[in-house]
Amino acid sequence: MRVLAINDISCTGKCSLTVALPILSACGAACDIMPTALLSTHTGGFEGYTFLDLSQEMQKIADHWESLGLKFDLIYSGYLGSRSQIQFVKDCKKRFLKEKGVFVVDPVLGDHFTFYKGFDQAFAQEMKSLCAEADYILPNETESFLLTGERNFSAALKKLGEICPCPVITGAQDETGYALRYLHENRECVLPLKKIEGAFHGAGDVFASAFCGCILNGLSMEAALSVTADFCYRAIARSEREVKDRRFGLAYERELGGLISAISNNSL
Ligand code: PXL
């Protein structure tokens, strides 16, 4: 199993590639990386972070890979720094995804109903066009709203389903509770989640990486979501106990053993 993770390197803060690599490797995948930018920290709550755009290097990396004949079973894209990087990811899909490979897009745009720094509506539109090429998209509730203009989850899922066959809204909170809401074979499904109050930075990236790990191991979408949700819950519960400054990401490392066991139990 060979996977390509396209995401940034935030040197501290445990998100993007620094969680994709260990989680996907733990799931048994050979994980190659296409770094989109190099930051001293992620942009969520830190001031004065450094940001090096890697767009020019990405083109060169891709050209070299083409000469090696690299192909991937799954491509997972996350944080992209510019609209031209979104076009580049589409190009990578054409060049490097195996014929029956899986393309997973986490349309990283924002949280708490606002855009992350540097993103705007034009960027969201471009991200929507990337979602249209994906097998699975994993927006959080803010991203679902930014992509569709709908706060109601059924209405949002309907619109997301017109873009991509398998949308999953992660962490959908309304008066009925907290849940994963997704379309499966055109049916709207709800997987209730236990909620731990507070904001946990990097949880979306941990979720997306584990989900890709499950799909790579042949789990069905429903099993993958259930195993991933359980892993994230345990990581968040541990973080609530152990992590004082939530900007530094989830304490997921000691929950990886449970993730691997759950994957093998579900892939029997
Ligand atoms: O976790 C999403 C994410 C990824 N990468 C960078 C970010 C964020 C969210 O703030 O700033 C650089």
Side-chain angles (χ1 to χ4, degrees):
M1 296 186 283
R2 193 171 200 99
V3 52
L4 170 59
I6 307 177
N7 218 328
D8 69 273
I9 300 176
S10 291
C11 297
T12 188
K14 283 200 277 185
C15 65
S16 333
L17 287 182
T18 68
V19 302
L21 260 172
I23 293 175
L24 282 156
S25 303
C27 293
C31 182
D32 289 345
I33 59 167
M34 176 66 80
T36 58
L38 178 67
L39 298 89
S40 52
T41 67
H42 57 70
T43 67
F46 292 102
E47 295 299 325
Y49 54 82
T50 66
F51 185 102
L52 176 67
D53 180 276
L54 293 176
S55 300
Q56 288 189 3
E57 208 59 29
M58 290 163 74
Q59 292 290 353
K60 290 192 251 170
I61 294 169
D63 291 345
H64 183 219
W65 284 358
E66 189 136 26
S67 76
L68 301 176
L70 280 186
K71 292 280 178 194
F72 298 96
D73 300 293
L74 187 148
I75 296 181
Y76 151 46
S77 81
Y79 183 96
L80 302 171
S82 62
R83 288 164 68 187
S84 65
Q85 285 194 352
I86 295 178
Q87 289 305 323
F88 173 83
V89 174
K90 291 182 191 171
D91 189 46
C92 272
K93 183 195 169 201
K94 285 200 196 82
R95 292 165 79 179
F96 301 118
L97 190 62
K98 284 186 184 166
E99 207 177 311
K100 293 222 164 103
V102 179
F103 184 37
V104 179
V105 173
D106 182 2
V108 176
L109 292 169
D111 212 348
H112 311 296
F113 287 94
T114 45
F115 282 109
Y116 291 131
K117 285 179 194 141
F119 296 162
D120 58 15
Q121 203 50 54
F123 186 79
Q125 281 307 313
E126 201 79 35
M127 190 60 96
K128 203 161 149 180
S129 72
L130 183 64
C131 291
E133 302 210 3
D135 298 294
Y136 299 95
I137 56 173
L138 308 172
N140 62 26
E141 63 176 345
T142 298
E143 290 152 353
S144 153
F145 169 68
L146 295 172
L147 289 169
T148 64
E150 300 285 354
R151 279 179 191 261
N152 173 281
F153 294 124
S154 295
L157 265 184
K158 192 161 177 289
K159 284 196 179 168
L160 291 171
E162 288 160 8
I163 308 172
C164 161
C166 298
V168 180
I169 305 176
T170 60
Q173 169 92 61
D174 66 8
E175 61 290 348
T176 64
Y178 183 60
L180 291 180
R181 290 176 170 267
Y182 59 99
L183 288 185
H184 183 54
E185 292 166 357
N186 285 324
R187 264 180 319 111
E188 191 182 328
C189 306
V190 181
L191 177 65
L193 299 175
K194 287 179 273 182
K195 170 93 174 150
I196 296 176
E197 286 310 322
F200 291 87
H201 200 278
D205 300 349
V206 169
F207 184 96
S209 304
F211 177 76
C212 290
C214 291
I215 294 293
L216 274 165
N217 277 283
L219 272 61
S220 67
M221 179 186 185
E222 304 221 89
L225 288 174
S226 155
V227 167
T228 301
D230 190 53
F231 168 60
C232 288
Y233 174 77
R234 287 167 194 274
I236 290 171
R238 181 183 280 277
S239 308
E240 193 191 33
R241 298 192 302 272
E242 295 181 1
V243 180
K244 286 207 182 70
D245 186 342
R246 301 273 165 82
R247 295 177 303 174
F248 284 91
L250 294 191
Y252 69 88
E253 296 85 346
R254 290 182 191 280
E255 304 303 332
L256 283 172
L259 172 65
I260 297 158
S261 306
I263 288 177
S264 52
N265 292 339
N266 277 272
S267 52
L268 291 178

